[in-house]
Amino acid sequence: AQVWKRRVQLAMPAAALLVVATAAILPTGYFGPLSSRVRGLFLKHTRTGNPLVDSVAEHQPGSTMMYRQYLQNVYPLVPCGFALSLLRLTDANTFLLLYGAIAYFFASKMARLVILLGPPASAFGGVALGFGFDFLIVDALLRLLGYAAEEEEPGGKKSPGPALDVAAREEPKEALKDAPQGGNGGAGLLKSKPKPSQLAAAAKARRAESRRAETNPFGGVAAAREEAAAAVMAVADSPGGVKTRLCMGLALALATIYAYYDFHAYCHRMAEGSSRPQIMFKATYSNGQTVMVDDYR
């Protein structure tokens, strides 16, 4: 709340200064009307008035076929990366989502602006691949090593979780070890009573949390999402789920390697096609020799 309050306090003087400067410059005619090309980005039926310009393919709206052609292997990954970024709204993800939405809007209005989709599409593809490798290979491999390193407890019973959870089980011991002791080891911590001010602060925090949960219209959706995610992770973290994730991660790695070599070959084919002469004409020397001029590369 304090951050937004400071932002508003800084934005209001800047907006007032901008309005004053615009009002002072506007009567001089410095700001001209928007060109027909700019209006064509926002108004569907706007034309430049020049039939030659309006008929150029680069000025036509973007299409799905064009996105597939220029984004190639990244094209099917973009929706996955977009959804993953939408599920976790951070400052970086919010910027990426806005960047992608704005770039797609302009690319859909004019085909020549499809180049704007390159950076956000690459970022969304990286988000999708990063999540896939992290969840299917890295996390699964660590958990598989944890299950393999399980140690038997006294009595022949195995610990319930992987060895990765040992550090989590040791945290309470470390807390008792570092806590102020009252003569009987950690018993002093257990016998100590919280102060009335601490109890009041805790009660106030619980009431505020309950009020936020009651006033939040999406509280039920968030709770249902967390429950579903917990159920999925319970299955995915089981020994069988970990092995299944590793098999899927191996398939993803092989598909990525194949897509890399396919994209490499596609880039070379496209580079060769773009480097060929686009404009050629014949010329005749004074001695009658005919040559082909193809210097326009």
Side-chain angles (χ1 to χ4, degrees), residues 95-121:
F95 168 77
L96 184 58
L97 291 171
L98 291 176
Y99 187 9
I102 294 172
Y104 175 74
F105 172 80
F106 287 107
S108 63
K109 296 296 183 180
M110 190 175 293
R112 66 188 303 176
L113 298 180
V114 71
I115 192 174
L116 298 178
L117 287 177

Side-chain angles (χ1 to χ4, degrees), residues 119-201:
S122 301
F124 285 131
V127 169
L129 287 178
F131 176 81
F133 283 115
D134 184 40
F135 180 72
L136 297 177
I137 297 180
V138 178
D139 183 72
L141 187 60
L142 291 176
R143 291 190 176 275
L144 183 64
L145 294 176
Y147 281 115
E150 282 184 345
E151 296 180 355
E152 291 189 358
E153 297 180 352
K157 296 181 180 180
K158 291 185 177 181
S159 57
L164 295 176
D165 297 334
V166 173
R169 292 195 296 269
E170 292 294 334
E171 288 181 358
K173 299 179 181 179
E174 296 295 332
L176 289 176
K177 186 187 297 183
D178 298 336
Q181 300 179 357
N184 294 327
L189 177 64
L190 299 176
K191 292 182 179 180
S192 61
K193 296 182 179 180
K195 298 179 180 180
S197 59
Q198 295 176 345
L199 291 175

Side-chain angles (χ1 to χ4, degrees), residues 76-90 92-94 96-97 123-136 225 252:
L77 297 177
V78 172
C80 300
F82 186 88
L84 290 172
S85 301
L86 192 62
L87 290 176
R88 187 180 179 184
L89 289 178
T90 60
N93 287 347
T94 303
L96 184 58
L97 291 171
F124 285 131
V127 169
L129 287 178
F131 176 81
F133 283 115
D134 184 40
F135 180 72
L136 297 177
R225 186 184 65 181
L252 176 63

